[in-house]
Amino acid sequence: MKQGNALSLISRIREKANRFIVKELESQGVEGIVPSHGDILVILFQGEKYSMKELADKIHRTKPTVTVLIEKLVDYGFVAKEKSCTDSRVTYIKLTKKGIELKPIFDNISKKLNALLYGGFTDEETEIFEKLLHKVNSRMDI
């Protein structure tokens, strides 16, 4: 097997995973959500509300990038903005009822995606695969 092709393979896998996610969302009648919104929604599924800075830190994106993503989610009615009572510079983001209704859809898509990703792997192979990915990921922190 040719070596030195890992980054290209990872990129293709990511593209295919993103296409799968969009296709699954559309099949569930969910419009306006793209994979880059997923990181934000997954964080919001775990808590009450988060500031823009907290979200940016948690998903490892810049605040301006998160602001653009949030605006789209607001436009589609999945999240709402709320100004802080104590600091007018802080804006909190929280899920709307429509946003909360996405959780079971996301859980189902995640389950299907994991089945594709890990399908046929033994527990040992899964563990090795993830250890190697973590190792590569940590090396890329430059």
Side-chain angles (χ1 to χ4, degrees), residues 53-66:
K53 181 178 177 354
E54 289 170 325
L55 286 172
D57 290 346
K58 286 181 179 291
I59 68 167
H60 310 287
R61 299 280 186 255
T62 64
K63 202 171 163 214
T65 298
V66 171

Side-chain angles (χ1 to χ4, degrees), residues 1 16 95:
M1 178 186 236
K16 289 177 182 180
L95 292 169

Side-chain angles (χ1 to χ4, degrees), residues 58-85:
K58 286 181 179 291
I59 68 167
H60 310 287
R61 299 280 186 255
T62 64
K63 202 171 163 214
T65 298
V66 171
T67 299
V68 170
L69 293 169
I70 292 295
E71 288 302 324
K72 235 356 166 188
L73 291 171
V74 168
D75 290 346
Y76 281 100
F78 296 114
V79 300
K81 293 179 178 182
E82 177 183 292
K83 281 287 187 188
S84 169
C85 297

Side-chain angles (χ1 to χ4, degrees), residues 20-35:
F20 176 83
I21 291 166
V22 169
K23 183 180 160 199
E24 287 292 313
L25 287 167
E26 288 173 351
S27 77
Q28 295 291 317
V30 178
E31 294 182 16
I33 302 267
V34 294

Side-chain angles (χ1 to χ4, degrees), residues 114-132:
N114 280 332
L116 282 172
L117 183 64
Y118 296 105
F121 281 10
T122 65
D123 288 346
E124 182 182 7
E125 288 170 328
T126 298
E127 188 176 329
I128 291 168
F129 178 62
E130 288 199 3
K131 278 184 180 178
L132 290 171

